[in-house]
Amino acid sequence: MFSGTFTALITPFKNGEVDVEALEALVEFQISGGVSGLVPCGTTGESPTLSEAEDRIVIETVVRVSAGRVPVIAGTGSNSTDMAIKYTKMAEGVGADGSLQVSPYYNKPTQDGLYAHFTTVAENTDLPVVIYNIPGRTGVTVEPETMARLAEIPNIVATKDSTLSMASAAETKRLSGEDFDLLSGDDPVTLPIIALGGTGAVAVASNIAPRAYSEMVNAALGGDFARARELHYDLLRLFGALSTETNPIPVKTAASILGLCSDEMRLPMQPMSGENLDRLRRDLEELSHLLPTPEEVR
């Protein structure tokens, strides 16, 4: 169901509020750059710091501006099952095409608890559900066997795999079957995951390099792994440049340098400074062939 490059959108801020105008421009920039879909209100969108009203503003804006040209998978997960259901119903009501459900963080449920959480959310929406498996942030892993059980639920259709384990991703794909989409959740492993049978990525770097990232993914999905590898190695330094500090600090700073939005963030996130900022500027200059021209940004 979900194939290609899905950009995990940054959330632009201005004077402490969501910058709707900048968000509208970001959506247009992404679609013109050839991405396959958009994922607002995820980790990269600083979702832990957004209020319920801001979540609605962001999702509504992305749905409105994309206007059906690409699917919108809204981040509506929570470590409270009731809140996850509430946010998912909100996203469904404003026209989202899917829901990204992160594993409950901090409470660290058992595998049976994870299964019960995700199935309860899925039972309360008609949206296709993508399970976001990111143990480095949540403290809990959805094991391949549990993912396979979840794949039997009709509207649980995919996983965003951020385990950084190719063995786990492969086992998830093997157990869950061909009809269950495996999406990379970490840019450096997108190509390997597609080689394992994955269908694309929920990507960070595509915020600033949508065209190059989409070309890599599309080449791999089309079976042209020689071209995909060439692009992967070209993008690899960009992936590294965007991981010098915690996501989304570097990518939002890079977007600001390129003129896509401001670098304003919500505490506890702070804009880059000092040596890391200087390094990022140098990297962006040297990688300009992967990045949009000033005309494309405007």
Side-chain angles (χ1 to χ4, degrees):
M1 176 171 288
F2 295 122
S3 177
T5 299
F6 292 78
T7 299
L9 282 173
I10 55 178
T11 301
F13 298 118
K14 185 177 182 180
N15 300 323
E17 299 183 350
V18 174
D19 187 343
V20 173
E21 184 177 353
L23 181 58
E24 292 171 341
L26 279 172
V27 171
E28 289 293 353
F29 170 66
Q30 289 295 311
I31 294 174
S32 66
V35 302
S36 305
L38 300 169
V39 184
C41 298
T43 304
T44 308
E46 297 176 73
S47 57
T49 66
L50 296 177
S51 69
E52 184 176 345
E54 288 173 328
D55 261 21
R56 176 183 287 272
I57 289 169
V58 171
I59 296 168
E60 278 184 333
T61 300
V62 176
V63 168
R64 171 175 55 80
V65 177
S66 60
R69 290 175 289 173
V70 296
V72 176
I73 306 173
T76 60
S78 172
N79 63 342
S80 160
T81 306
D82 286 345
M83 288 304 297
I85 292 169
K86 181 179 182 181
Y87 274 62
T88 303
K89 287 183 173 179
M90 177 271 289
E92 185 172 6
V94 301
D97 301 290
S99 165
L100 181 68
Q101 290 290 328
V102 69
S103 303
Y105 39 87
Y106 188 74
N107 12 24
K108 296 184 72 172
T110 64
Q111 295 300 303
D112 284 343
L114 288 168
Y115 179 81
H117 169 82
F118 289 125
T119 54
T120 301
V121 173
E123 288 166 358
N124 281 274
T125 183
D126 291 326
L127 290 178
V129 173
V130 180
I131 306 297
Y132 184 10
N133 195 9
I134 182 165
R137 294 225 185 213
T138 63
V140 63
T141 301
V142 185
E143 299 293 347
E145 294 79 10
T146 303
M147 199 71 76
R149 291 174 64 199
L150 290 165
E152 296 175 359
I153 307 300
N155 63 327
I156 297 181
V157 301
T159 181
K160 176 187 175 184
D161 191 293
S162 295
T163 63
L164 289 175
S165 168
M166 293 300 96
S168 177
E171 187 69 354
T172 293
K173 185 61 180 174
R174 184 182 74 83
L175 294 175
S176 300
E178 288 301 314
D179 292 335
F180 188 73
D181 291 337
L182 174 66
L183 296 164
S184 168
D186 289 284
D187 292 341
V189 299
T190 291
L191 182 57
I193 279 187
I194 292 175
L196 292 171
T199 56
V202 179
V204 173
S206 57
N207 273 284
I208 61 170
R211 196 170 302 282
Y213 202 114
S214 296
E215 186 181 351
M216 178 190 71
V217 169
N218 292 341
L221 292 174
D224 187 355
F225 278 92
R227 176 59 177 156
R229 277 194 300 272
E230 180 183 354
L231 288 161
H232 167 78
Y233 286 119
D234 205 17
L235 284 162
L236 203 55
R237 185 175 170 191
L238 180 62
F239 300 158
L242 298 181
S243 63
T244 53
E245 294 187 13
T246 304
N247 182 52
I249 296 170
V251 72
K252 197 170 206 182
T253 305
S256 173
I257 292 169
L258 294 174
L260 292 165
C261 65
S262 79
D263 66 349
E264 183 176 331
M265 301 179 200
R266 293 267 174 90
L267 287 172
M269 296 297 184
Q270 289 188 306
M272 294 179 79
S273 61
E275 183 178 335
N276 282 349
L277 177 58
D278 292 340
R279 175 186 166 187
L280 179 63
R281 289 185 183 277
R282 289 195 303 270
D283 285 340
L284 294 180
E285 288 178 6
E286 294 174 12
L287 297 169
S288 59
H289 62 288
L290 297 173
L291 301 174
T293 64
E295 291 74 23
E296 288 176 309
V297 171
R298 287 196 292 268

